[in-house]
Amino acid sequence: MSRLWVAIAAATLVLSGTAHAQDDRRVVIGTPTTGAAAEVGVPILVTGLSIAPTTVAITATELTFDGGATWVTAEVLRDHDPSRVDWRYVHTPTAAGDVAVAGRVVTASGAGPTGAPVVVHVGGAAVTQPVNCATRCELGTYYKDVVDDPDREPVEVGMRFQVDRPGQLLGASLGRGAYRGPISLRLWSKSGVLLAEQPWDHPGLMAEIDFPTPVAVEPGHDYVISYYTPQGGYATSEDFFIGTLVRAPFIAPPGAGVYHYGVGGGFPTDSWHDSTYWVLPEFRG
C-alpha cells in the first residue's frame, strides 16, 4: 500500500543476499523516524519489519525503550512467511528525555542481536533528518488489513497531518474501494479553508493525483488532505492512527483519519475508531 514498505522490501533483499558470519536476524524500524519529537502521555506508533534467514521461523519481535533493561513484544500484523513479519507497538512516554527504541528478533534458538536504535526526543524539539524529497515523498505507512466499506452515502474522507520542514504539497496517492467513479481531491487548512482541489475520473484501484499548482506548506501548521466520493465505496482500516505516526517529512497525530457526510462533501472533522482512509499526502521540498 505504501512506498515505505517498498523501501523496506529493498532493504530485505540486501540483507538476505549478504553473508553474515554469525547472526543475520534483523529488525527494521519504519516509524518513527529517528530524531522525532514526542509528548509525555501521548502514544507514538513504533512499526516495522522483522527478518530472519529463510529457514528460520520468527516467534516474536521484542522492543526495548530503556537500553535493554526491559523488553516488550510487538503486535504481529502480517506474516509474509515465517521469516518476515510486519509488526507494530504503541509506546506512551511517561517522562521527558531522549528515548532510544531498539528491537530484536526472537526465534526458537532465542533472541537475536539488538539492532541500531531510533532516538525519540520526548518533551523536546524534533531534529530534522535528511530526506530526499527533491522530486516527491509520499507518506509512508505501515501494513494493515484494508476493508472496502459498504457505506454508499456521499462523504469526504481524509487525514490530518503536519510536515517537519517547509516545502510544497503536490497532491496525494489514494487506495480506493468499490466506487471507481469521479472524485475530487482537496487540501484544507486547519480552520477549514480550501487550499487546493483537483477532480479525478479514472476507474483504477490506486490513484496518484496532483493539484494544478503545488501548495506551499510550513512546519507547525495543521493540514487536512481528503477526497469526496459521491457514492461512498471507499477503502478504510480501523484502529490505525492509534498513536502519533512520524515518517519524515510527515507527522500524523492520533486519530488523524477524518470524514464529513453530505452531498458535495466539505471540511472533514469527524472521526471513527482511529481509521485511515488511505489518503497519503505527497510532498516536495
Side-chain angles (χ1 to χ4, degrees), residues 15 21 28 63 100 159 170 174 185 204 254 266 268:
L15 289 169
V28 180
L63 302 173
M159 64 167 291
L170 303 178
L174 310 180
L185 181 70

mmCIF file of all heavy atoms in Angstrom, residues 15 21 28 63 100 159 170 174 185 204 254 266 268:
data_model
loop_
_atom_site.group_PDB
_atom_site.id
_atom_site.type_symbol
_atom_site.label_atom_id
_atom_site.label_comp_id
_atom_site.label_asym_id
_atom_site.label_seq_id
_atom_site.Cartn_x
_atom_site.Cartn_y
_atom_site.Cartn_z
ATOM 1 N N LEU A 15 19.705 -7.498 2.726
ATOM 2 C CA LEU A 15 20.087 -8.293 3.881
ATOM 3 C C LEU A 15 20.119 -9.781 3.551
ATOM 4 O O LEU A 15 21.025 -10.503 3.956
ATOM 5 C CB LEU A 15 19.105 -8.038 5.028
ATOM 6 C CG LEU A 15 19.210 -6.662 5.691
ATOM 7 C CD1 LEU A 15 18.021 -6.441 6.604
ATOM 8 C CD2 LEU A 15 20.507 -6.551 6.486
ATOM 9 N N ALA A 21 28.525 -13.660 9.280
ATOM 10 C CA ALA A 21 29.283 -14.738 9.903
ATOM 11 C C ALA A 21 28.528 -15.364 11.068
ATOM 12 O O ALA A 21 28.666 -16.545 11.337
ATOM 13 C CB ALA A 21 30.634 -14.200 10.379
ATOM 14 N N VAL A 28 13.892 -3.966 11.240
ATOM 15 C CA VAL A 28 13.911 -2.704 10.507
ATOM 16 C C VAL A 28 12.776 -1.844 11.046
ATOM 17 O O VAL A 28 11.604 -2.177 10.863
ATOM 18 C CB VAL A 28 13.737 -2.941 8.995
ATOM 19 C CG1 VAL A 28 13.767 -1.615 8.248
ATOM 20 C CG2 VAL A 28 14.796 -3.891 8.460
ATOM 21 N N LEU A 63 10.959 -5.254 21.625
ATOM 22 C CA LEU A 63 11.450 -3.885 21.599
ATOM 23 C C LEU A 63 11.868 -3.463 23.000
ATOM 24 O O LEU A 63 11.279 -3.892 23.998
ATOM 25 C CB LEU A 63 10.359 -2.931 21.100
ATOM 26 C CG LEU A 63 9.769 -3.211 19.724
ATOM 27 C CD1 LEU A 63 8.583 -2.287 19.469
ATOM 28 C CD2 LEU A 63 10.816 -3.054 18.633
ATOM 29 N N ALA A 100 15.667 5.832 23.381
ATOM 30 C CA ALA A 100 16.251 5.058 22.281
ATOM 31 C C ALA A 100 15.443 3.774 22.108
ATOM 32 O O ALA A 100 15.397 2.933 23.005
ATOM 33 C CB ALA A 100 17.710 4.741 22.568
ATOM 34 N N MET A 159 -7.285 12.731 6.028
ATOM 35 C CA MET A 159 -6.463 12.675 7.237
ATOM 36 C C MET A 159 -5.848 14.033 7.549
ATOM 37 O O MET A 159 -5.597 14.844 6.669
ATOM 38 C CB MET A 159 -5.338 11.646 7.087
ATOM 39 C CG MET A 159 -4.324 11.970 6.009
ATOM 40 S SD MET A 159 -2.824 10.960 6.109
ATOM 41 C CE MET A 159 -2.082 11.593 7.616
ATOM 42 N N LEU A 170 2.138 18.374 -3.115
ATOM 43 C CA LEU A 170 1.872 18.145 -4.528
ATOM 44 C C LEU A 170 0.488 17.571 -4.792
ATOM 45 O O LEU A 170 -0.126 17.852 -5.816
ATOM 46 C CB LEU A 170 2.915 17.183 -5.105
ATOM 47 C CG LEU A 170 4.375 17.606 -4.970
ATOM 48 C CD1 LEU A 170 5.274 16.534 -5.550
ATOM 49 C CD2 LEU A 170 4.609 18.942 -5.654
ATOM 50 N N LEU A 174 -3.976 7.559 -3.451
ATOM 51 C CA LEU A 174 -5.173 7.007 -2.834
ATOM 52 C C LEU A 174 -5.247 5.511 -3.069
ATOM 53 O O LEU A 174 -4.973 5.025 -4.170
ATOM 54 C CB LEU A 174 -6.443 7.626 -3.424
ATOM 55 C CG LEU A 174 -6.560 9.148 -3.521
ATOM 56 C CD1 LEU A 174 -7.907 9.504 -4.131
ATOM 57 C CD2 LEU A 174 -6.390 9.792 -2.170
ATOM 58 N N LEU A 185 -10.058 15.477 -5.125
ATOM 59 C CA LEU A 185 -9.041 15.572 -4.077
ATOM 60 C C LEU A 185 -8.976 17.007 -3.594
ATOM 61 O O LEU A 185 -8.994 17.947 -4.394
ATOM 62 C CB LEU A 185 -7.680 15.150 -4.620
ATOM 63 C CG LEU A 185 -6.534 15.170 -3.620
ATOM 64 C CD1 LEU A 185 -6.687 14.052 -2.597
ATOM 65 C CD2 LEU A 185 -5.188 15.067 -4.324
ATOM 66 N N GLY A 204 -9.234 3.124 -11.814
ATOM 67 C CA GLY A 204 -8.210 2.299 -11.191
ATOM 68 C C GLY A 204 -8.378 2.129 -9.692
ATOM 69 O O GLY A 204 -9.009 2.943 -9.008
ATOM 70 N N PRO A 254 -2.551 11.093 16.656
ATOM 71 C CA PRO A 254 -3.550 10.061 16.955
ATOM 72 C C PRO A 254 -4.928 10.501 16.449
ATOM 73 O O PRO A 254 -5.297 11.670 16.546
ATOM 74 C CB PRO A 254 -3.520 9.982 18.484
ATOM 75 C CG PRO A 254 -2.158 10.477 18.870
ATOM 76 C CD PRO A 254 -1.814 11.530 17.858
ATOM 77 N N GLY A 266 -17.172 18.384 2.023
ATOM 78 C CA GLY A 266 -16.891 19.518 2.891
ATOM 79 C C GLY A 266 -15.760 19.194 3.840
ATOM 80 O O GLY A 266 -15.261 18.051 3.888
ATOM 81 N N PRO A 268 -13.612 17.851 6.489
ATOM 82 C CA PRO A 268 -13.858 16.701 7.367
ATOM 83 C C PRO A 268 -13.246 16.897 8.761
ATOM 84 O O PRO A 268 -12.058 17.201 8.886
ATOM 85 C CB PRO A 268 -13.185 15.547 6.622
ATOM 86 C CG PRO A 268 -12.075 16.186 5.844
ATOM 87 C CD PRO A 268 -12.514 17.594 5.533
#
